[in-house]
Amino acid sequence: MVASAPLLSFREPADHPELDPLATFTVRRTGGRDDVVLRDELAGRAQLRAYRVSPQRLTELTGDPLGVAARLLSDVENLGRQRERLTDGSSRTDTQKQALQGRIAAALPRAQAWQKTYDPASKTPLNLAKLGVFNVQSVEVYRENASSALVAGVVEMGDVVPGQGYVQRTRQTFAVFLDNKGGTWQVTRWQLSPRQGAGPLDR
């Protein structure tokens, strides 16, 4: 076992110092390498980012199918998490509520940018105007080669219902299909479908 200097450093959350500011998914890639997806919520918005790990550094994967899929999931998850805070029953001042509304307004266009590639044949409809929960629970690169890739996993999601003080949640399988077009990885379509019991993506 070889120790190295810290690869990344994050400040401790001031409001909940007992909480780990990061959630990590280890993702096995073709050839046996393990990359990681980190969720960073310290900047006021949920951000999912994919990294390649080496003994000396973490390198963010931007031009990579996992990195592109992580940006999609990050933008949709952030919208759900900001809206969820308005329905979680917490007592907030008018100023705090206005700040949350501002974050929702900023998050909505980023999520809407991915709406155009959402598969209309998906078994689960996606209504970003009502989305109140979208929590990514697992991520896998299910298939990849030089020209195409499939990133899949599990999310917990639900819509806001007017007059209801909580969001009813369901577990869904997500699938993000990507193609390499001229050296650039792009999402061609993505979809959600209800979970049908335990499966390999639950691990």
Side-chain angles (χ1 to χ4, degrees):
M1 181 178 294
V2 178
S4 74
L7 301 181
L8 280 178
S9 298
F10 297 86
R11 63 179 175 82
E12 185 178 76
D15 50 349
H16 294 289
E18 75 282 2
L19 297 181
D20 185 346
L22 298 174
T24 306
F25 305 106
T26 303
V27 183
R28 178 61 53 92
R29 305 298 298 270
T30 298
R33 175 187 289 275
D34 286 330
D35 292 333
V36 296
V37 175
L38 304 181
R39 180 189 288 118
D40 175 10
E41 298 189 66
L42 294 179
R45 60 180 290 250
Q47 299 181 78
L48 290 169
R49 293 176 176 170
Y51 291 91
R52 174 67 41 84
V53 182
S54 73
Q56 292 78 32
R57 65 180 62 87
L58 290 181
T59 303
E60 186 171 0
L61 299 174
T62 55
D64 178 275
L66 178 59
V68 174
R71 289 202 303 273
L72 183 162
L73 296 168
S74 179
D75 288 339
V76 179
E77 182 177 83
N78 182 52
L79 174 63
R81 285 182 173 241
Q82 299 298 346
R83 194 174 279 131
E84 182 182 10
R85 291 186 173 99
L86 283 179
T87 59
D88 64 5
S90 299
S91 177
R92 291 185 172 87
T93 65
D94 289 342
T95 300
Q96 290 171 328
K97 291 178 182 178
Q98 289 175 1
L100 271 178
Q101 292 287 7
R103 290 179 180 177
I104 292 170
L108 184 57
R110 288 193 291 265
Q112 287 175 328
W114 301 105
Q115 181 85 60
K116 62 184 178 182
T117 54
Y118 189 69
D119 190 344
S122 293
K123 296 180 180 180
T124 300
L126 180 68
N127 188 341
L128 295 177
K130 294 183 178 180
L131 185 68
V133 171
F134 193 91
N135 295 331
V136 178
Q137 297 183 333
S138 69
V139 180
E140 290 190 23
V141 176
Y142 219 55
R143 167 176 49 80
E144 64 177 325
N145 54 47
S147 60
S148 65
L150 167 59
V151 178
V154 178
V155 299
E156 181 184 64
M157 66 175 293
D159 291 343
V160 172
V161 177
Q164 184 171 286
Y166 64 94
V167 176
Q168 187 70 37
R169 304 156 187 250
T170 62
R171 298 183 78 230
Q172 305 281 330
T173 296
F174 72 82
V176 182
F177 298 87
L178 306 99
D179 284 345
N180 190 337
K181 299 180 179 180
T184 301
W185 285 97
Q186 301 177 18
V187 175
T188 56
R189 64 186 175 93
W190 63 289
Q191 61 190 33
L192 294 162
S193 57
R195 296 290 297 163
Q196 301 294 329
L201 295 178
D202 282 316
R203 66 176 184 269

